[in-house]
Amino acid sequence: MQIGFELNGKQQTLEFEPRETLAEVLRGRCRLTGVKISCEAQVCGSCTVLVDGLPVSACTLLAYEVRGKRVTTIEGVADETGRLHPLQQAFLDNFSFQCGFCTPGMILAAKSLLDENSKATDAEIVAHMNGNLCRCTGYLPILKAIRQAAAEMRGQK
């Protein structure tokens, strides 16, 4: 099967088996290892990518389902010059990661929220991030980073 889609701002045409998940294609064919595979059951959020700006679990989404769509992975979040997105910088500033395994999915999930609502309350952030699990940091540094990024994205830094 062959499909075309936009990946991190560039048009792609890839060939793969119909049974392959988006996570398998992104990691195996595109070498985008920021997409993590952990639970393979749409529970942990480690494989989160954005499809047309919305967070999806790439471990359960069949790759052919992104035909004609826009896919963003953590590798496509920084700008063209390599300058980190405010969320990436905020995660660094607030030590919001330890092992880093969940971090790409956390950042992408948070990005989808802040792109839609940069004035999200703590309760809205917590509810939105509910599907992304972290076993290392606890969630307060992550919440703090998302709040910092939201303020920067609103121009209040």
Side-chain angles (χ1 to χ4, degrees):
M1 169 177 275
Q2 189 177 64
I3 65 162
F5 64 102
E6 182 182 308
L7 178 59
N8 295 331
K10 296 180 180 138
Q11 284 300 319
Q12 299 285 318
T13 302
L14 295 176
E15 197 166 305
F16 51 85
E17 296 296 318
R19 69 179 182 278
E20 287 184 274
T21 66
L22 182 59
E24 291 170 329
V25 169
L26 292 173
R27 286 183 62 83
R29 290 205 179 33
C30 302
R31 304 285 186 231
L32 297 173
T33 57
V35 179
K36 306 300 183 201
I37 298 176
S38 179
C39 71
E40 297 185 70
Q42 200 172 359
V43 174
C44 71
S46 294
C47 66
T48 300
V49 299
L50 302 180
V51 176
D52 289 343
L54 298 175
V56 301
S57 295
C59 72
T60 58
L61 185 71
L62 293 174
Y64 75 82
E65 294 182 79
V66 301
R67 65 192 173 283
K69 297 187 178 185
R70 181 175 35 96
V71 176
T72 305
T73 68
I74 194 68
E75 291 88 351
V77 174
D79 70 17
E80 307 80 38
T81 68
R83 187 173 146 257
L84 296 178
H85 184 277
L87 273 162
Q88 292 171 302
Q89 189 60 56
F91 267 67
L92 289 170
D93 294 347
N94 291 283
F95 307 101
S96 301
F97 59 91
Q98 284 180 19
C99 81
F101 197 81
C102 69
T103 304
M106 290 276 187
I107 289 172
L108 288 165
K111 183 179 184 316
S112 73
L113 171 65
L114 297 183
D115 285 348
E116 186 177 314
N117 178 12
S118 66
K119 294 182 180 181
T121 66
D122 285 357
E124 290 170 323
I125 293 169
V126 168
H128 187 82
M129 300 300 292
N130 190 37
N132 291 77
L133 304 178
C134 176
R135 295 186 176 135
C136 298
T137 65
Y139 295 94
L140 291 179
I142 293 166
L143 180 61
K144 189 175 178 184
I146 295 169
R147 275 190 257 146
Q148 176 184 316
E152 184 172 335
M153 290 169 76
R154 289 191 310 265
Q156 297 178 357
K157 183 150 177 141

